[in-house]
Amino acid sequence: MEIKREELIKQIADPSFVWDLIIIGGGATGLGTAVDAASRGFKTLLLEQSDFAKGTSSRSTKLVHGGVRYLAQGNIGLVVEALRERGILFNNAPHLVRNESFIIPNYSWFNAFFYSIGLSVYDLLAGKRSFGRSRLVSGKETIRRIPNIRQENLKAGVLYHDGQFDDARLAVSLALTAIEQGAVLLNYVQVSSLSKNANKISGVLAKDLETGIPYVLKAKTVINATGVFVDEILVMDAPEASPMVRPSQGVHLVFDKSFLGSRDALMIPKTKDGRVLFAIPWHERTLVGTTDTPLNAHQLEPRALEEEIKFILDTAAVYLTRIPTRKDVLSVFAGLRPLAAPQGENQKTKEISRSHKLIISPSGLITITGGKWTTYRKMAEDTVDQAIQTGKLPARSCKTKNLPLHGFHESVDWSDSFFVYGSDALPVKALTKENSLWKEILDPRLPYIAAEVVWATRYEMARNIEDVLARRTRALFLDAHAAMDMAPAVAHLMAKELMKDSHWEKEQILSFMEIAKNYVLNY
């Protein structure tokens, strides 16, 4: 189904229409809430000021997991919930979630048995949704499976299973699922203020950032699902509101796949400062991260700090025989976690619970914050359940536990780069029959073809180069220089689809280059 922005905009043009829910924010939580609400039959509108998953939701460690470290912290409830949700997501989106094997290298026998026992508990908590039993493997087996692992004093490895996914592609899948369920979703529409009637939220004022046209929108409930930006919406509601979120930054470096040299992922459970570090095979690359740096401010395009880059490179050098350097970094990206503001002065962000929280303001504004990608569906379920109470909506049960997401496809060829499209893969390839030039690879360093740009623009609501190169494809995250070289061709293809002129193309290229510079390391 071709999605035309003009048709979506028409659906918000009537100022007298009353939505059951207006959701502010198009990240994992907002998109999940839209799917849940629409599938229950509620009139649902989602507004995102930028692109879907532009922020945190496209910048994760690409894991659908229970959280081994939360188990170590004693947060059993979160681990059980996340493992349950991991299984549900694996069933509902098998084209995007895969079973990934991880190995923890151990350089002491105590650690080997400690992690072996801990991961046995992890398996037990997963129950029937387990991805596979963990087990102790010999040092020799560890080296065979991860040839680049440091071998000196290596005693053994602990092998366990978890989930891996493509976060931005899952966000696109959720957006399309919500639309198929009857929701209206709009990117590049910014909420400027909240409307009230007798001190109760009655809707929002919003502006289409592409045309500048303002819209007055009425709703029975308004959901604040804006991640690290929740405080900005809370201040619209109550100027005296105290900050609820303390952002924490996570940084990842991307290298050629040869640096890991394995189909298994590497997990370092405790680095020198107590953080967890992963090295994961992802889209024919090796992704290494993450950091956990508290910040006092946030922005749509966070930048990796020099000390974060150094920490990842230094830690990787301890565990890998082929030591990655700055020159080897193909892309660097940073994301922000919307953590609950710490209560104690000395509380570290890595110690703050990732459990989600629902806050209902006196005005009736519902704010959902915290949580993690893995638990997005449960967060959405809890949010819509609350909206039913707050907005006096008819009670309807959640449908998403067994709701296949857009693109659902079980027979996945993970070696084919089109796997992220699931059941859409054949229609994407079929576009090349419309124009044979669309078969062309956009850059030899990456697998993307011109038809994917056309598909993203026609069927996936991409509005600019960055939407295509960062989130519809993952070019910017996989090889920033290649993405920059692809930009002119992408701009030209999009301009024809969107009926834009050469001036638009030039502006797009300049704008994208400015963003892409943040993904390139200087050396």
Side-chain angles (χ1 to χ4, degrees):
M1 177 182 69
E2 189 168 351
I3 300 174
K4 293 187 178 293
R5 182 181 175 82
E6 313 84 70
E7 297 301 318
L8 293 173
I9 288 287
K10 281 180 186 176
Q11 296 185 62
I12 67 169
D14 181 0
S16 65
F17 185 83
V18 181
W19 299 90
D20 290 323
L21 299 91
I22 291 180
I23 301 160
I24 310 172
T29 309
L31 292 168
T33 303
V35 170
D36 189 299
S39 65
R40 297 197 207 195
F42 293 122
K43 294 174 287 187
T44 304
L45 171 65
L46 181 146
L47 304 174
E48 163 57 47
Q49 67 173 341
S50 185
D51 186 32
F52 308 117
K54 157 76 174 176
T56 307
S57 297
S58 62
R59 301 163 185 268
S60 73
T61 312
K62 323 306 179 193
L63 298 180
V64 180
H65 63 145
V68 174
R69 71 166 165 151
Y70 308 136
L71 183 63
Q73 293 170 2
N75 196 339
I76 304 297
L78 176 60
V79 175
V80 171
E81 178 182 84
L83 287 171
R84 183 178 63 246
E85 291 301 316
R86 180 190 71 175
I88 292 172
L89 184 52
F90 182 74
N91 289 335
N92 290 342
H95 61 299
L96 288 170
V97 180
R98 67 187 296 177
N99 185 335
E100 178 65 70
S101 53
F102 291 75
I103 293 181
I104 301 175
N106 292 280
Y107 295 88
S108 79
W109 285 112
F110 173 82
N111 283 345
F113 289 112
F114 176 78
Y115 292 120
S116 182
I117 292 167
L119 284 159
S120 295
V121 175
Y122 193 65
D123 295 342
L124 191 65
L125 294 174
K128 65 180 181 181
R129 297 189 188 277
S130 172
F131 277 26
R133 289 178 63 87
S134 60
R135 59 187 175 91
L136 193 65
V137 296
S138 67
K140 187 176 180 181
E141 174 73 357
T142 301
I143 294 165
R144 186 188 70 78
R145 298 185 73 125
I146 305 182
N148 287 342
I149 194 71
R150 178 171 67 84
Q151 300 180 18
E152 185 182 0
N153 296 323
L154 180 69
K155 308 299 183 189
V158 178
L159 183 146
Y160 74 99
H161 296 264
D162 236 325
Q164 188 214 54
F165 78 137
D166 186 310
D167 47 10
R169 288 304 312 178
L170 181 56
V172 171
S173 180
L174 285 170
L176 297 175
T177 304
I179 290 173
E180 288 165 356
Q181 293 294 321
V184 175
L185 277 69
L186 285 162
N187 48 359
Y188 299 101
V189 174
Q190 185 177 51
V191 171
S192 52
S193 63
L194 305 174
S195 306
K196 292 186 179 180
N197 184 6
N199 293 321
K200 293 293 183 182
I201 297 288
S202 59
V204 304
L205 300 180
K207 182 171 75 171
D208 181 350
L209 296 180
E210 291 194 2
T211 63
I213 297 173
Y215 293 89
V216 178
L217 303 163
K218 294 181 180 179
K220 295 175 183 176
T221 52
V222 174
I223 312 293
N224 176 12
T226 53
V228 294
F229 297 96
V230 294
D231 288 333
E232 296 179 15
I233 304 299
L234 285 168
V235 167
M236 288 183 189
D237 178 45
E240 72 285 357
S242 299
M244 285 197 54
V245 164
R246 174 74 182 279
S248 163
Q249 179 161 288
V251 167
H252 298 82
L253 304 182
V254 179
F255 303 94
D256 184 79
K257 66 179 181 180
S258 60
F259 280 90
L260 187 58
S262 168
R263 189 52 258 173
D264 298 302
L266 177 66
M267 194 269 217
I268 309 302
K270 196 167 186 180
T271 59
K272 63 183 180 182
D273 67 349
R275 304 178 204 177
V276 172
L277 194 82
F278 292 96
I280 302 166
W282 187 66
H283 288 310
E284 297 300 306
R285 298 287 189 271
T286 296
L287 182 147
V288 184
T290 181
T291 58
D292 206 335
T293 308
L295 299 178
N296 294 317
H298 53 265
Q299 54 189 352
L300 266 174
E301 274 294 337
R303 300 189 65 172
L305 303 175
E306 189 57 41
E307 56 264 35
E308 294 176 303
I309 296 165
K310 186 175 186 302
F311 166 77
I312 293 174
L313 289 172
D314 288 349
T315 305
V318 173
Y319 292 94
L320 298 177
T321 54
R322 186 180 176 197
I323 298 173
T325 67
R326 295 178 71 92
K327 288 185 178 181
D328 300 311
V329 176
L330 298 175
S331 183
V332 53
F333 63 92
L336 303 179
R337 305 176 188 91
L339 304 182
Q343 301 304 305
E345 219 24 68
N346 298 319
Q347 189 175 13
K348 297 177 181 178
T349 55
K350 63 176 176 284
E351 297 168 352
I352 300 172
S353 172
R354 263 44 170 187
S355 299
H356 62 277
K357 293 179 176 62
L358 268 173
I359 299 98
I360 298 85
S361 302
S363 65
L365 176 69
I366 299 171
T367 297
I368 175 72
T369 188
K372 44 191 274 194
W373 241 121
T374 307
T375 58
Y376 88 89
R377 193 211 61 82
K378 184 64 169 73
M379 294 169 69
E381 179 181 352
D382 291 350
T383 303
V384 177
D385 285 346
Q386 182 60 57
I388 288 171
Q389 295 180 41
T390 302
K392 297 180 173 58
L393 303 174
R396 294 170 183 163
S397 60
C398 176
K399 312 288 186 189
T400 57
K401 284 183 183 176
N402 300 298
L403 179 66
L405 299 184
H406 180 90
F408 179 93
H409 189 63
E410 292 182 292
S411 300
V412 183
D413 178 2
W414 300 106
S415 65
D416 182 351
S417 65
F418 284 82
F419 77 81
V420 295
Y421 296 102
S423 60
D424 282 341
L426 288 177
V428 175
K429 293 175 181 178
L431 276 179
T432 60
K433 295 176 183 176
E434 182 179 329
N435 187 330
S436 61
L437 293 177
W438 293 348
K439 291 180 182 177
E440 293 179 3
I441 292 275
L442 293 167
D443 187 278
R445 290 164 285 186
L446 291 168
Y448 305 117
I449 64 173
E452 294 178 80
V453 179
V454 177
W455 181 270
T457 310
R458 286 185 191 176
Y459 302 102
E460 295 181 344
M461 296 177 282
R463 304 298 299 171
N464 57 49
I465 298 178
E466 190 211 343
D467 294 350
V468 171
L469 290 178
R471 290 171 294 279
R472 305 310 184 278
T473 71
R474 306 315 307 272
L476 184 58
F477 286 72
L478 296 172
D479 191 322
H481 282 296
M484 294 166 84
D485 289 345
M486 291 159 66
V490 172
H492 189 64
L493 287 161
M494 293 189 78
K496 287 192 172 182
E497 290 296 313
L498 297 172
M499 293 184 288
K500 302 291 186 180
D501 58 19
S502 58
H503 178 68
W504 180 88
E505 287 186 49
K506 290 174 185 174
E507 283 191 334
Q508 276 291 304
I509 294 166
L510 288 173
S511 175
F512 178 73
M513 293 301 182
E514 202 59 37
I515 291 169
K517 285 192 299 189
N518 294 333
Y519 294 74
V520 175
L521 276 194
N522 296 316
Y523 47 83

